[in-house]
């Protein structure tokens, strides 16, 4: 009968330990959810900022008198970007 009470004590200890760990995991889960929400908000703001920057650059390039271009510094000078002004100046 004594082994039963020791087993019950051990079972109670394990149950409390599991409860404590479960509580800690739930708190960590909530912290991760909050961090994820924060990161999503930051991503939305930064994406909006990037889209606005791209819009401004596109508008600038379309209205730039003359031409603007960018190419790689490789043996054939591979073209990366050329503004619409390049077409009107070079045909």
């Amino acid at each position: 009968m004594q082994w039963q009470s020791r087993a019950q004590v051990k079972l109670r200890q394990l149950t409390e330990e599991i409860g404590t760990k479960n509580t800690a995991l739930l708190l960590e889960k909530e912290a991760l959810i909050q961090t994820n929400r924060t990161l999503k908000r930051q991503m939305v703001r930064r994406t909006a900022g990037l889209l606005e920057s791209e819009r401004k650059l596109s508008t600038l390039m379309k209205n730039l008198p003359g031409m603007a271009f960018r190419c790689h510094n490789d043996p054939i000078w591979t073209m990366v970007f050329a503004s619409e002004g390049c077409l009107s100046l070079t045909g």
Side-chain angles (χ1 to χ4, degrees):
M1 188 104 66
Q2 190 178 18
W3 66 271
Q4 285 180 336
S5 61
R6 274 190 256 157
Q8 288 172 338
V9 168
K10 187 64 176 172
L11 182 59
R12 222 172 307 138
Q13 289 172 341
L14 290 173
T15 302
E16 288 174 11
E17 186 179 328
I18 289 170
T20 301
K21 289 183 179 183
N22 189 42
T23 300
L25 285 172
L26 290 172
L27 291 172
E28 287 297 320
K29 179 182 176 184
E30 187 58 36
L32 287 172
I33 290 170
Q34 291 300 326
T35 300
N36 191 38
R37 286 181 185 145
T38 300
L39 290 172
K40 283 181 180 179
R41 283 192 300 269
Q42 288 176 353
M43 184 180 69
V44 167
R45 279 195 311 271
R46 290 177 181 174
T47 300
L50 180 59
L51 290 172
E52 179 62 14
S53 292
E54 287 177 350
R55 186 193 65 74
K56 287 178 181 177
L57 179 61
S58 177
T59 301
L60 176 67
M61 289 295 116
K62 286 179 183 174
N63 294 302
L64 184 68
M67 68 182 200
F69 66 93
R70 180 175 176 220
C71 56
H72 290 296
N73 186 11
D74 59 16
I76 60 169
W77 297 95
T78 304
M79 191 64 61
V80 176
F81 167 81
S83 69
E84 291 179 17
C86 292
L87 181 60
S88 64
L89 290 174
T90 62

